Amino acid sequence: MPFMKRPEGASVAGLPWGGAAPRLPQITVPLRPEQATELLSMDRLKRLNEKAEPGTRLQLITSKTDTFFLPETLDGVQVLVKDEGDWYTGLRADNSLLKADTGGIRYRRSKDINDVVEDPQFQLTWGSVAHGYDCGDGWVRVKICTSTD
């Protein structure tokens, strides 16, 4: 989970920052499968739904995450640069020096530069920001949601 700094004067509970949450007929709770049993049992979910306002229903959505890697450099050129916004810190895919004619940096299944994920759409597009763990060896480890149940 990346470090996120709350904007000045923003509310912790409000959505979006400081604003009131819109009334929705359904609330989703995204959890990883191993969290679902720990944090919210199906029995507890049923009891919460019984107490909920009419027209509101809690739904448990689980997701599967996989670990991938991004190289910090390609052909000896830095392609991931630190990017700090008002409430996030991440790594931005930068093509200003490499000037590649690709759509972005392809994810790798390991720290092997040739172990590219097969799907050409599965990449960090130029200008996009990734949040992950800097391995300290020229690679960044990221977790990506690959499916939901």
Side-chain angles (χ1 to χ4, degrees), residues 25-134:
Q26 176 177 309
I27 301 170
T28 59
V29 182
L31 298 171
R32 291 191 306 272
E34 63 272 15
Q35 290 177 308
T37 55
E38 295 172 17
L39 300 178
L40 189 61
S41 69
M42 294 309 288
D43 185 52
R44 174 82 173 126
L45 183 65
K46 182 180 175 184
R47 287 195 310 272
L48 286 170
N49 275 324
E50 289 169 356
K51 295 177 182 179
E53 294 179 31
T56 302
R57 186 175 71 84
L58 292 171
Q59 177 183 358
L60 182 67
I61 297 175
T62 60
S63 62
K64 178 180 183 288
T65 59
D66 287 315
T67 300
F68 297 97
F69 295 89
L70 288 168
E72 292 180 4
T73 62
L74 288 173
D75 296 331
V77 177
Q78 189 79 25
V79 291
L80 285 177
V81 295
K82 189 172 183 179
D83 188 293
E84 293 188 56
D86 290 339
W87 52 274
Y88 71 90
T89 299
L91 293 167
R92 183 174 36 83
D94 180 20
N95 193 25
S96 63
L97 298 175
L98 186 63
K99 302 195 183 316
D101 59 358
T102 61
I105 307 168
R106 300 273 299 274
Y107 289 96
R108 274 49 177 194
R109 294 197 182 283
S110 68
K111 292 181 182 180
D112 178 352
I113 196 73
N114 298 314
D115 193 10
V116 178
V117 176
E118 298 80 29
D119 184 352
Q121 298 299 314
F122 203 67
Q123 64 185 349
L124 180 65
T125 56
W126 299 119
S128 295
V129 175
H131 300 279
Y133 173 76
D134 185 345

